[in-house]
Amino acid sequence: MLSIIFLLIAIICLLLLVMFLLDRLSLHQHAEAENRELSQLLEKQFLLQEDSLEAYRELLDAACREPGFWESGNSEV
């Protein structure tokens, strides 16, 4: 009788452990999906900033090639 009770307790503990591990797996998969989504968003943001920086560089290059840019006293750049 004692061995049956011990087996039931062991089975219940194993079932609880399996349920806990399945819950952790679900949370991990959700966090991975969220992380993937945030990584894509950050990558898009980085590319937008890179394009913006490139446009700013081109603007500065064009302004610096303008004749008399440095001599005219333009300090607002």
Side-chain angles (χ1 to χ4, degrees):
M1 186 69 180
L2 188 60
S3 62
I4 293 174
I5 292 174
F6 178 73
L7 276 171
L8 287 174
I9 291 173
I11 289 172
I12 290 171
C13 288
L14 285 175
L15 286 175
L16 288 173
L17 178 63
V18 167
M19 288 174 33
F20 174 76
L21 291 175
L22 287 174
D23 182 53
R24 293 289 113 190
L25 178 64
S26 173
L27 287 174
H28 176 72
Q29 289 173 342
H30 178 71
E32 249 184 7
E34 190 175 297
N35 189 21
R36 200 171 23 256
E37 185 179 316
L38 288 175
S39 292
Q40 290 172 353
L41 181 66
L42 286 174
E43 185 177 345
K44 287 178 184 177
Q45 185 68 25
F46 178 76
L47 291 175
L48 285 174
Q49 289 177 355
E50 182 182 32
D51 291 343
S52 178
L53 179 61
E54 190 60 37
Y56 181 70
R57 284 181 183 164
E58 290 173 8
L59 181 69
L60 281 178
D61 285 344
C64 289
R65 277 188 249 122
E66 195 174 300
F69 177 76
W70 296 108
E71 290 81 25
S72 66
N74 288 338
S75 62
E76 298 178 13
V77 176

